[in-house]
Amino acid sequence: MDVLTLLADGFATSLSPLNLMIVILGVTAGLFIGAMPGLGSVNGVAIVLPLTFIVPPTSAIILLAAIYYGAMYGGAVSSILLGIPGASTAVATTFDGRPMAQQGKAGLALIAAAVASFVGGTISVVLFTLFAAPLADVALAFGPAEEFALVLLAFTTFVGLGGDDVLKTIVMICLGLVLSTVGLDLISGQPRLIFGDLPGFYSGISFLVLAIGAYGVGEVLYTIETSKSAPQVTPARITFGELRAGFRAMNRLWKTMSFGSFLGFFVGMLPAAGATPASLMAYGIARQTSRNPESFGKGNIEGVAAPETANNAASTGSLLPMLTLGIPGSPTTALLLGGMVMWGLMPGPMLFIEQPEFVWGLISSLYTANFAAVAINIALIPLFVWALRMPFTVLCALVLVLCIVGGYAPSQKMHDVWLIAGFGVAGYLLRKADYPLAPLVLALVLGPLMEKSFRQTLIAEQGNVLAFFERPLSASFLAIAALFFVLPAVKYLRKSTRQSMAPAE
Amino acid sequence: MLVADRLIAGGIMALALYFMVHAVELPIGWNGTTGGPGGGAFPFWLSAMMFACAAGILLRSFAADARASFHMDMSMLRSVLAVTGALVVTIALMPFAGAYVALPLFLFWYLRIFGGHRWVLVLPLTLLTPVFLFFFFEVTLRILLPKGLTEPLFFPLYAAFF
């Protein structure tokens, strides 16, 4: 089969000594970053992104993907041990993982998380292998009109599916889009929004600067405020017997795990949905279909396995639209996308034709990364507990230094470092006031594409707005987008009618 | 903390207005001949949408059943301000005193004075981080960090590693 030949070539790339070393290094680094409270794959990828210039692009994206994978595994570790989700994707893991740890079953919960992540990751990589190329073919039919409709769809999924406040989500999307227009106008080349003619703004605002500011500095400030005292660490101990008991327990969870994998993969594939909603959905469905739903939230191993399979499957799934369409499904893939652009690799349908070595190298390295991650994760469980005892005051100081240097390195302008500090404080305040940050970062990444595709279409069609509705693909995307936009209003109305019908207490 | 919520919504409205004022420097209307909107249209109308939504958030906070989402732990406000201040001082110092003075000073302040850690931990971290940064960024990646006044001190190092 064609796919198998390509995959075999891919393995030849990913199993080269350099790339294999990079996978192991990346997974290990990712595990630690993911396991640090407050730091997730976004932070890991954002901090390391400027450091990837030393290796060839294929190896660089493999490093980032390995960190991504490792962080997805690691996110569960602090969720279980500390009750602090290492990343937003691991929030659902705390619901049952924390009670298990409190009952002294931390080892079992950690094994469950690792095995579930492995199953989720493997099933979704197989799905990825089979569907990446066909989807890329579909993507070839994409013109600017479809691109615009799809980007719009990505933003409306945030509004319709996200649990956040709708008005605040829209504010963040608009802010990100407006910030993305800073610099030179794409069509006329005139400068716009350069804030009193500051030269630094002529080149626009890099998504990296916003991401390091909001997720790095902002997160540290948030952690300083919320972690007044060091969190209580539950000592985890792993014996061989416990390991065997863990695997035996996982054997009974095949149904939950395979369902979580498929669900996660398909939700992850949706632009902007990503791993966090996928893990929450998998948890909710596992609870609803369980024979004893009341045991959930009190330390049910199924409640750890379901979200962990889904978030790993989703992280693979979200790579698919990123590679084939250039549309990131999550903030982390948005960063990966930015990285690819920085190395001169243009994501999109042509990538599969022009850079088969890169694409299949990446896909095969996902298999390798998965094996590496589960092995390293289980081996390192005792060490995690030790690392998590690092006081916040040490961790935060080092993260801040990395943010400053990491923000300066790509452009070598102090201007960007000041922006990072500014975005850090702004991101901290916005997060405190419950404004979601992910739409902001995504909007900054997708903004230029959105404006360009919108204006390109209109120039090609002599200003005919109806062009967006005349093409079948773009029309159906717009229809789904409209549906997502209406969804919160419908939900709200239904809730308020139900409330008014309910008897007064 | 409804006040803080309102301040943030108001701040976003002011920012949106500022964007709108500057966006009109480029055409924001529909250009019939080339087709489609002008260069200022995207920022202008998106800022207008941002303004409207922030106004909605502000108005909602005056409704009878408004819930505050801003929970500030006032006892930690000083720490947050101290770290922010230290960060600003560090960044301001970098172009003059150089990264290799500013960053160790920051680490020392954070670990010893802010964090109150023991010297055994503070000294190795403060002294080894710049060494790591030098070898990682300057030697491996060939990215020069700002050195300011300390630049001449690095000439022998450049000679040795480049």
Side-chain angles (χ1 to χ4, degrees), chain A residues 201-220:
Chain A
F201 282 111
Y202 274 87
S203 46
I205 296 173
S206 156
F207 80 97
L208 199 69
V209 167
L210 178 65
I212 294 181
Y215 286 106
V217 177
E219 196 79 45
V220 166

PDB file of all heavy atoms in Angstrom, chain A residues 201-220:
ATOM      1  N   PHE A 201       6.932  48.407  15.728  1.00  0.00           N
ATOM      2  CA  PHE A 201       5.636  47.880  15.332  1.00  0.00           C
ATOM      3  C   PHE A 201       5.505  47.702  13.824  1.00  0.00           C
ATOM      4  O   PHE A 201       4.535  47.123  13.360  1.00  0.00           O
ATOM      5  CB  PHE A 201       4.509  48.778  15.844  1.00  0.00           C
ATOM      6  CG  PHE A 201       4.222  48.572  17.299  1.00  0.00           C
ATOM      7  CD1 PHE A 201       4.514  49.552  18.228  1.00  0.00           C
ATOM      8  CD2 PHE A 201       3.670  47.378  17.745  1.00  0.00           C
ATOM      9  CE1 PHE A 201       4.255  49.345  19.565  1.00  0.00           C
ATOM     10  CE2 PHE A 201       3.413  47.176  19.080  1.00  0.00           C
ATOM     11  CZ  PHE A 201       3.704  48.167  20.000  1.00  0.00           C
ATOM     12  N   TYR A 202       6.483  48.236  13.057  1.00  0.00           N
ATOM     13  CA  TYR A 202       6.379  48.112  11.610  1.00  0.00           C
ATOM     14  C   TYR A 202       6.378  46.658  11.174  1.00  0.00           C
ATOM     15  O   TYR A 202       5.777  46.290  10.184  1.00  0.00           O
ATOM     16  CB  TYR A 202       7.517  48.866  10.915  1.00  0.00           C
ATOM     17  CG  TYR A 202       7.200  50.313  10.694  1.00  0.00           C
ATOM     18  CD1 TYR A 202       7.453  51.268  11.665  1.00  0.00           C
ATOM     19  CD2 TYR A 202       6.615  50.726   9.501  1.00  0.00           C
ATOM     20  CE1 TYR A 202       7.138  52.589  11.465  1.00  0.00           C
ATOM     21  CE2 TYR A 202       6.298  52.054   9.282  1.00  0.00           C
ATOM     22  CZ  TYR A 202       6.562  52.990  10.269  1.00  0.00           C
ATOM     23  OH  TYR A 202       6.239  54.287  10.059  1.00  0.00           O
ATOM     24  N   SER A 203       7.098  45.807  11.910  1.00  0.00           N
ATOM     25  CA  SER A 203       7.156  44.403  11.521  1.00  0.00           C
ATOM     26  C   SER A 203       6.014  43.599  12.138  1.00  0.00           C
ATOM     27  O   SER A 203       6.002  42.381  12.055  1.00  0.00           O
ATOM     28  CB  SER A 203       8.500  43.803  11.919  1.00  0.00           C
ATOM     29  OG  SER A 203       8.813  44.165  13.236  1.00  0.00           O
ATOM     30  N   GLY A 204       5.069  44.280  12.763  1.00  0.00           N
ATOM     31  CA  GLY A 204       3.927  43.574  13.325  1.00  0.00           C
ATOM     32  C   GLY A 204       4.221  42.983  14.689  1.00  0.00           C
ATOM     33  O   GLY A 204       5.329  43.117  15.209  1.00  0.00           O
ATOM     34  N   ILE A 205       3.225  42.351  15.280  1.00  0.00           N
ATOM     35  CA  ILE A 205       3.388  41.719  16.586  1.00  0.00           C
ATOM     36  C   ILE A 205       3.474  40.223  16.373  1.00  0.00           C
ATOM     37  O   ILE A 205       2.582  39.612  15.795  1.00  0.00           O
ATOM     38  CB  ILE A 205       2.208  42.069  17.514  1.00  0.00           C
ATOM     39  CG1 ILE A 205       2.194  43.574  17.787  1.00  0.00           C
ATOM     40  CG2 ILE A 205       2.295  41.295  18.812  1.00  0.00           C
ATOM     41  CD1 ILE A 205       0.989  44.040  18.545  1.00  0.00           C
ATOM     42  N   SER A 206       4.572  39.629  16.836  1.00  0.00           N
ATOM     43  CA  SER A 206       4.766  38.197  16.650  1.00  0.00           C
ATOM     44  C   SER A 206       3.888  37.428  17.629  1.00  0.00           C
ATOM     45  O   SER A 206       3.742  37.813  18.787  1.00  0.00           O
ATOM     46  CB  SER A 206       6.236  37.862  16.868  1.00  0.00           C
ATOM     47  OG  SER A 206       6.371  36.518  17.231  1.00  0.00           O
ATOM     48  N   PHE A 207       3.313  36.317  17.142  1.00  0.00           N
ATOM     49  CA  PHE A 207       2.484  35.499  18.026  1.00  0.00           C
ATOM     50  C   PHE A 207       3.304  34.949  19.183  1.00  0.00           C
ATOM     51  O   PHE A 207       2.807  34.724  20.278  1.00  0.00           O
ATOM     52  CB  PHE A 207       1.863  34.361  17.226  1.00  0.00           C
ATOM     53  CG  PHE A 207       2.794  33.225  16.994  1.00  0.00           C
ATOM     54  CD1 PHE A 207       2.755  32.118  17.807  1.00  0.00           C
ATOM     55  CD2 PHE A 207       3.749  33.283  15.984  1.00  0.00           C
ATOM     56  CE1 PHE A 207       3.640  31.078  17.613  1.00  0.00           C
ATOM     57  CE2 PHE A 207       4.629  32.256  15.790  1.00  0.00           C
ATOM     58  CZ  PHE A 207       4.580  31.148  16.604  1.00  0.00           C
ATOM     59  N   LEU A 208       4.610  34.764  18.908  1.00  0.00           N
ATOM     60  CA  LEU A 208       5.504  34.218  19.921  1.00  0.00           C
ATOM     61  C   LEU A 208       5.579  35.142  21.138  1.00  0.00           C
ATOM     62  O   LEU A 208       5.564  34.706  22.279  1.00  0.00           O
ATOM     63  CB  LEU A 208       6.889  34.091  19.292  1.00  0.00           C
ATOM     64  CG  LEU A 208       7.861  33.167  19.953  1.00  0.00           C
ATOM     65  CD1 LEU A 208       7.409  31.747  19.775  1.00  0.00           C
ATOM     66  CD2 LEU A 208       9.229  33.368  19.358  1.00  0.00           C
ATOM     67  N   VAL A 209       5.636  36.451  20.833  1.00  0.00           N
ATOM     68  CA  VAL A 209       5.729  37.451  21.890  1.00  0.00           C
ATOM     69  C   VAL A 209       4.468  37.421  22.751  1.00  0.00           C
ATOM     70  O   VAL A 209       4.525  37.415  23.983  1.00  0.00           O
ATOM     71  CB  VAL A 209       5.944  38.837  21.242  1.00  0.00           C
ATOM     72  CG1 VAL A 209       5.733  39.942  22.235  1.00  0.00           C
ATOM     73  CG2 VAL A 209       7.333  38.918  20.643  1.00  0.00           C
ATOM     74  N   LEU A 210       3.319  37.341  22.088  1.00  0.00           N
ATOM     75  CA  LEU A 210       2.058  37.280  22.830  1.00  0.00           C
ATOM     76  C   LEU A 210       1.979  35.990  23.635  1.00  0.00           C
ATOM     77  O   LEU A 210       1.576  35.996  24.802  1.00  0.00           O
ATOM     78  CB  LEU A 210       0.881  37.371  21.854  1.00  0.00           C
ATOM     79  CG  LEU A 210      -0.501  37.267  22.484  1.00  0.00           C
ATOM     80  CD1 LEU A 210      -0.760  38.441  23.397  1.00  0.00           C
ATOM     81  CD2 LEU A 210      -1.587  37.178  21.432  1.00  0.00           C
ATOM     82  N   ALA A 211       2.393  34.868  23.028  1.00  0.00           N
ATOM     83  CA  ALA A 211       2.278  33.581  23.711  1.00  0.00           C
ATOM     84  C   ALA A 211       3.199  33.526  24.923  1.00  0.00           C
ATOM     85  O   ALA A 211       2.784  33.103  26.006  1.00  0.00           O
ATOM     86  CB  ALA A 211       2.600  32.441  22.747  1.00  0.00           C
ATOM     87  N   ILE A 212       4.463  33.985  24.756  1.00  0.00           N
ATOM     88  CA  ILE A 212       5.378  33.961  25.904  1.00  0.00           C
ATOM     89  C   ILE A 212       4.874  34.915  26.980  1.00  0.00           C
ATOM     90  O   ILE A 212       4.910  34.611  28.173  1.00  0.00           O
ATOM     91  CB  ILE A 212       6.819  34.321  25.470  1.00  0.00           C
ATOM     92  CG1 ILE A 212       7.371  33.241  24.546  1.00  0.00           C
ATOM     93  CG2 ILE A 212       7.728  34.463  26.685  1.00  0.00           C
ATOM     94  CD1 ILE A 212       8.788  33.495  24.098  1.00  0.00           C
ATOM     95  N   GLY A 213       4.384  36.070  26.556  1.00  0.00           N
ATOM     96  CA  GLY A 213       3.878  37.034  27.533  1.00  0.00           C
ATOM     97  C   GLY A 213       2.685  36.483  28.294  1.00  0.00           C
ATOM     98  O   GLY A 213       2.686  36.425  29.526  1.00  0.00           O
ATOM     99  N   ALA A 214       1.666  36.052  27.562  1.00  0.00           N
ATOM    100  CA  ALA A 214       0.418  35.654  28.209  1.00  0.00           C
ATOM    101  C   ALA A 214       0.562  34.343  28.966  1.00  0.00           C
ATOM    102  O   ALA A 214       0.099  34.210  30.093  1.00  0.00           O
ATOM    103  CB  ALA A 214      -0.689  35.561  27.174  1.00  0.00           C
ATOM    104  N   TYR A 215       1.200  33.337  28.321  1.00  0.00           N
ATOM    105  CA  TYR A 215       1.291  32.025  28.975  1.00  0.00           C
ATOM    106  C   TYR A 215       2.499  31.910  29.891  1.00  0.00           C
ATOM    107  O   TYR A 215       2.472  31.163  30.856  1.00  0.00           O
ATOM    108  CB  TYR A 215       1.331  30.907  27.931  1.00  0.00           C
ATOM    109  CG  TYR A 215       0.006  30.648  27.287  1.00  0.00           C
ATOM    110  CD1 TYR A 215      -0.251  31.045  25.991  1.00  0.00           C
ATOM    111  CD2 TYR A 215      -1.016  30.016  28.000  1.00  0.00           C
ATOM    112  CE1 TYR A 215      -1.479  30.809  25.396  1.00  0.00           C
ATOM    113  CE2 TYR A 215      -2.242  29.792  27.415  1.00  0.00           C
ATOM    114  CZ  TYR A 215      -2.472  30.177  26.113  1.00  0.00           C
ATOM    115  OH  TYR A 215      -3.675  29.952  25.537  1.00  0.00           O
ATOM    116  N   GLY A 216       3.593  32.613  29.582  1.00  0.00           N
ATOM    117  CA  GLY A 216       4.775  32.528  30.429  1.00  0.00           C
ATOM    118  C   GLY A 216       4.692  33.494  31.605  1.00  0.00           C
ATOM    119  O   GLY A 216       4.443  33.091  32.739  1.00  0.00           O
ATOM    120  N   VAL A 217       4.868  34.803  31.312  1.00  0.00           N
ATOM    121  CA  VAL A 217       4.884  35.806  32.379  1.00  0.00           C
ATOM    122  C   VAL A 217       3.530  35.862  33.089  1.00  0.00           C
ATOM    123  O   VAL A 217       3.457  35.869  34.322  1.00  0.00           O
ATOM    124  CB  VAL A 217       5.256  37.198  31.803  1.00  0.00           C
ATOM    125  CG1 VAL A 217       5.197  38.247  32.895  1.00  0.00           C
ATOM    126  CG2 VAL A 217       6.640  37.155  31.187  1.00  0.00           C
ATOM    127  N   GLY A 218       2.436  35.879  32.292  1.00  0.00           N
ATOM    128  CA  GLY A 218       1.104  35.963  32.885  1.00  0.00           C
ATOM    129  C   GLY A 218       0.833  34.802  33.823  1.00  0.00           C
ATOM    130  O   GLY A 218       0.290  34.971  34.919  1.00  0.00           O
ATOM    131  N   GLU A 219       1.249  33.603  33.392  1.00  0.00           N
ATOM    132  CA  GLU A 219       1.037  32.398  34.192  1.00  0.00           C
ATOM    133  C   GLU A 219       1.817  32.459  35.505  1.00  0.00           C
ATOM    134  O   GLU A 219       1.322  32.076  36.558  1.00  0.00           O
ATOM    135  CB  GLU A 219       1.480  31.195  33.364  1.00  0.00           C
ATOM    136  CG  GLU A 219       1.004  29.882  33.863  1.00  0.00           C
ATOM    137  CD  GLU A 219      -0.444  29.626  33.470  1.00  0.00           C
ATOM    138  OE1 GLU A 219      -0.792  29.879  32.305  1.00  0.00           O
ATOM    139  OE2 GLU A 219      -1.208  29.195  34.327  1.00  0.00           O
ATOM    140  N   VAL A 220       3.062  32.976  35.428  1.00  0.00           N
ATOM    141  CA  VAL A 220       3.883  33.078  36.637  1.00  0.00           C
ATOM    142  C   VAL A 220       3.223  34.032  37.636  1.00  0.00           C
ATOM    143  O   VAL A 220       3.104  33.721  38.823  1.00  0.00           O
ATOM    144  CB  VAL A 220       5.311  33.549  36.289  1.00  0.00           C
ATOM    145  CG1 VAL A 220       6.048  33.975  37.542  1.00  0.00           C
ATOM    146  CG2 VAL A 220       6.076  32.444  35.588  1.00  0.00           C
TER     147      VAL A 220
END
